[in-house]
Amino acid sequence: MKKIDIRDLGIADLAKFIEKNGEKGFRVKQIHEWFWNKGARQFDDLKNIPKSLIDKLQEEFSFHALEIQEIQKSSDTTAKFSFISHDKKLTEGVLIPSLKRVTACISTQVGCPLGCSFCATGKLGFDRNLSAGEIFDQITLMQAYALENYQNPISNIVIMGMGEPMLNLEACSNAIQKLTSPLYIGMSPKRITLSTVGLCDGIYNLADKQLGIELAISLHSAIQSEREKLIPTAKLNPLSEITDALKYYHQKTNQRITIEYVLLKNVNDQAIHSRTLAEFCKSIPVKVNIIEFNPTEGIPYSKSDDKTRADFANYLESKNLIVNVRKSRGKDIAAACGQLAGKITKSDRI
Ligand code: SAH
Ligand code: SF4
């Protein structure tokens, strides 16, 4: 029988196990701290736990931590991490340093089942969900690199790497609780942003969880028929329903929602598109991030030219929307949005 990963176990269930085995109650906190705070990578790391108890834990549970397979450094100091799991699956995380912050972008799935036509991860197809522990590990593994190379800890987390977080929401929210709990990493939830392609059920669930994190939605078109061509799952999650879900998220959290919009040349960057987008944004407090398209082999789009991008952004600003134009980072090592595809190169290994 497959063992449960000990980090998928809630603290109450761990307490039950400890009691059932006649162990002292204070062990629960000690064990939990090893896994979520003191960086244990294997059962033998639990230094103040008696060997007899470690043996019992090991008999009952598995403990699978991610390891770093490779780090590639971009000329702009962005660093892309390939992580390998116990079952030899690859996922990726990216560290993006800037003057004021160090942002970590993390993955939630190995691949993604949603197949958006512009996304390299979507082309991979889906392999499996990451566990809460594996989502969490990406931060602790990248933290050490951030401290050593940027002399600063990770200040912001974006859940925008490989995969659709709403399809793995329980593990994501478990990892987020551990990252934000003052008992563990203690990161402010305001500094964590989860990006979804727009799965309405997930948006309602996330709102009800009251995690206090920021929400971003990958819109890419405010015209339903055109959005469906870019994002197959848009058929099941039409714009009208997305609007209702975003309104609910705002009501529950009082937060401004980020609309992500990748500009694709002659596809979604024309006047009709900026106008429909402005119209869509009217009913919800949002800010709009205009993202430069990152080309990947085999993906039939190109990025909009500078003037088109400026016109698009100016129009939205003229409608009193908050607009950020995001230049991509780490393009030379395929670490930019939508380029994460689990490829390991031989160059630049450290
Ligand atoms: N599945 C989630 C989160 C991962 S994708 C989502 O879709 O939101 C993270 C972001 O990268 C999304 O906004 C996505 O639209 C964007 N993206 C995907 N492919 C891209 C590409 N080739 N160029 C630029 N951004 C891309
Ligand atoms: Fe999946 Fe997001 Fe890529 Fe779409 S854009 S295929 S949802 S990772």
mmCIF file of all heavy atoms in Angstrom, residues 107-124:
data_model
loop_
_atom_site.group_PDB
_atom_site.id
_atom_site.type_symbol
_atom_site.label_atom_id
_atom_site.label_comp_id
_atom_site.label_asym_id
_atom_site.label_seq_id
_atom_site.Cartn_x
_atom_site.Cartn_y
_atom_site.Cartn_z
ATOM 1 N N SER A 107 6.004 26.522 -9.237
ATOM 2 C CA SER A 107 5.108 25.649 -10.001
ATOM 3 C C SER A 107 4.176 24.879 -9.067
ATOM 4 O O SER A 107 4.500 24.668 -7.888
ATOM 5 C CB SER A 107 5.923 24.631 -10.800
ATOM 6 O OG SER A 107 6.751 25.273 -11.727
ATOM 7 N N THR A 108 3.052 24.441 -9.631
ATOM 8 C CA THR A 108 2.090 23.674 -8.833
ATOM 9 C C THR A 108 1.782 22.298 -9.424
ATOM 10 O O THR A 108 1.172 21.465 -8.776
ATOM 11 C CB THR A 108 0.768 24.453 -8.711
ATOM 12 O OG1 THR A 108 0.318 24.783 -10.031
ATOM 13 C CG2 THR A 108 0.963 25.726 -7.904
ATOM 14 N N GLN A 109 2.173 22.108 -10.697
ATOM 15 C CA GLN A 109 1.929 20.816 -11.348
ATOM 16 C C GLN A 109 3.141 20.464 -12.211
ATOM 17 O O GLN A 109 3.905 21.345 -12.606
ATOM 18 C CB GLN A 109 0.705 20.906 -12.278
ATOM 19 C CG GLN A 109 -0.598 21.243 -11.566
ATOM 20 C CD GLN A 109 -1.798 21.213 -12.520
ATOM 21 O OE1 GLN A 109 -1.761 21.817 -13.575
ATOM 22 N NE2 GLN A 109 -2.836 20.482 -12.128
ATOM 23 N N VAL A 110 3.278 19.175 -12.505
ATOM 24 C CA VAL A 110 4.261 18.763 -13.507
ATOM 25 C C VAL A 110 3.511 18.805 -14.832
ATOM 26 O O VAL A 110 2.624 17.989 -15.076
ATOM 27 C CB VAL A 110 4.783 17.335 -13.226
ATOM 28 C CG1 VAL A 110 5.854 16.962 -14.245
ATOM 29 C CG2 VAL A 110 5.323 17.221 -11.803
ATOM 30 N N GLY A 111 3.820 19.805 -15.666
ATOM 31 C CA GLY A 111 3.056 20.044 -16.892
ATOM 32 C C GLY A 111 1.756 20.760 -16.556
ATOM 33 O O GLY A 111 1.594 21.307 -15.463
ATOM 34 N N CYS A 112 0.833 20.764 -17.512
ATOM 35 C CA CYS A 112 -0.487 21.382 -17.283
ATOM 36 C C CYS A 112 -1.465 20.753 -18.270
ATOM 37 O O CYS A 112 -1.130 20.586 -19.447
ATOM 38 C CB CYS A 112 -0.423 22.892 -17.514
ATOM 39 S SG CYS A 112 -2.035 23.706 -17.303
ATOM 40 N N PRO A 113 -2.680 20.400 -17.814
ATOM 41 C CA PRO A 113 -3.616 19.736 -18.733
ATOM 42 C C PRO A 113 -4.412 20.703 -19.613
ATOM 43 O O PRO A 113 -5.178 20.254 -20.454
ATOM 44 C CB PRO A 113 -4.571 19.017 -17.766
ATOM 45 C CG PRO A 113 -4.536 19.832 -16.513
ATOM 46 C CD PRO A 113 -3.183 20.473 -16.435
ATOM 47 N N LEU A 114 -4.233 22.027 -19.455
ATOM 48 C CA LEU A 114 -5.198 22.941 -20.066
ATOM 49 C C LEU A 114 -4.839 23.403 -21.480
ATOM 50 O O LEU A 114 -5.680 23.967 -22.177
ATOM 51 C CB LEU A 114 -5.466 24.130 -19.135
ATOM 52 C CG LEU A 114 -6.101 23.698 -17.793
ATOM 53 C CD1 LEU A 114 -6.363 24.887 -16.894
ATOM 54 C CD2 LEU A 114 -7.400 22.926 -18.007
ATOM 55 N N GLY A 115 -3.605 23.178 -21.875
ATOM 56 C CA GLY A 115 -3.233 23.328 -23.291
ATOM 57 C C GLY A 115 -3.496 24.683 -23.928
ATOM 58 O O GLY A 115 -3.943 24.729 -25.091
ATOM 59 N N CYS A 116 -3.207 25.787 -23.242
ATOM 60 C CA CYS A 116 -3.372 27.098 -23.878
ATOM 61 C C CYS A 116 -2.408 27.179 -25.066
ATOM 62 O O CYS A 116 -1.265 26.709 -24.978
ATOM 63 C CB CYS A 116 -3.099 28.227 -22.887
ATOM 64 S SG CYS A 116 -4.225 28.150 -21.487
ATOM 65 N N SER A 117 -2.876 27.799 -26.145
ATOM 66 C CA SER A 117 -2.138 27.661 -27.408
ATOM 67 C C SER A 117 -0.829 28.432 -27.450
ATOM 68 O O SER A 117 -0.003 28.199 -28.310
ATOM 69 C CB SER A 117 -3.032 28.110 -28.566
ATOM 70 O OG SER A 117 -3.417 29.449 -28.355
ATOM 71 N N PHE A 118 -0.619 29.366 -26.498
ATOM 72 C CA PHE A 118 0.590 30.214 -26.523
ATOM 73 C C PHE A 118 1.615 29.787 -25.475
ATOM 74 O O PHE A 118 2.635 30.440 -25.300
ATOM 75 C CB PHE A 118 0.181 31.671 -26.251
ATOM 76 C CG PHE A 118 -0.728 31.786 -25.055
ATOM 77 C CD1 PHE A 118 -0.205 31.891 -23.782
ATOM 78 C CD2 PHE A 118 -2.114 31.714 -25.204
ATOM 79 C CE1 PHE A 118 -1.023 31.933 -22.666
ATOM 80 C CE2 PHE A 118 -2.944 31.757 -24.096
ATOM 81 C CZ PHE A 118 -2.402 31.871 -22.828
ATOM 82 N N CYS A 119 1.341 28.698 -24.745
ATOM 83 C CA CYS A 119 2.115 28.397 -23.530
ATOM 84 C C CYS A 119 2.939 27.115 -23.687
ATOM 85 O O CYS A 119 2.399 26.058 -24.056
ATOM 86 C CB CYS A 119 1.143 28.258 -22.364
ATOM 87 S SG CYS A 119 1.926 27.700 -20.841
ATOM 88 N N ALA A 120 4.219 27.202 -23.377
ATOM 89 C CA ALA A 120 5.116 26.046 -23.513
ATOM 90 C C ALA A 120 4.736 24.939 -22.528
ATOM 91 O O ALA A 120 4.796 23.749 -22.853
ATOM 92 C CB ALA A 120 6.556 26.475 -23.282
ATOM 93 N N THR A 121 4.327 25.322 -21.311
ATOM 94 C CA THR A 121 3.941 24.298 -20.327
ATOM 95 C C THR A 121 2.728 23.523 -20.835
ATOM 96 O O THR A 121 2.646 22.299 -20.693
ATOM 97 C CB THR A 121 3.609 24.951 -18.964
ATOM 98 O OG1 THR A 121 4.671 25.800 -18.573
ATOM 99 C CG2 THR A 121 3.377 23.903 -17.901
ATOM 100 N N GLY A 122 1.786 24.264 -21.440
ATOM 101 C CA GLY A 122 0.581 23.626 -21.968
ATOM 102 C C GLY A 122 0.906 22.579 -23.018
ATOM 103 O O GLY A 122 0.214 21.557 -23.135
ATOM 104 N N LYS A 123 1.964 22.808 -23.780
ATOM 105 C CA LYS A 123 2.349 21.856 -24.833
ATOM 106 C C LYS A 123 2.849 20.531 -24.250
ATOM 107 O O LYS A 123 2.845 19.502 -24.914
ATOM 108 C CB LYS A 123 3.486 22.447 -25.689
ATOM 109 C CG LYS A 123 3.043 23.567 -26.599
ATOM 110 C CD LYS A 123 2.623 23.025 -27.967
ATOM 111 C CE LYS A 123 1.924 24.059 -28.821
ATOM 112 N NZ LYS A 123 0.561 24.412 -28.435
ATOM 113 N N LEU A 124 3.335 20.582 -23.001
ATOM 114 C CA LEU A 124 3.881 19.364 -22.380
ATOM 115 C C LEU A 124 2.806 18.344 -22.048
ATOM 116 O O LEU A 124 3.078 17.165 -21.916
ATOM 117 C CB LEU A 124 4.539 19.716 -21.037
ATOM 118 C CG LEU A 124 5.864 20.443 -20.995
ATOM 119 C CD1 LEU A 124 6.243 20.693 -19.548
ATOM 120 C CD2 LEU A 124 6.925 19.616 -21.698
#
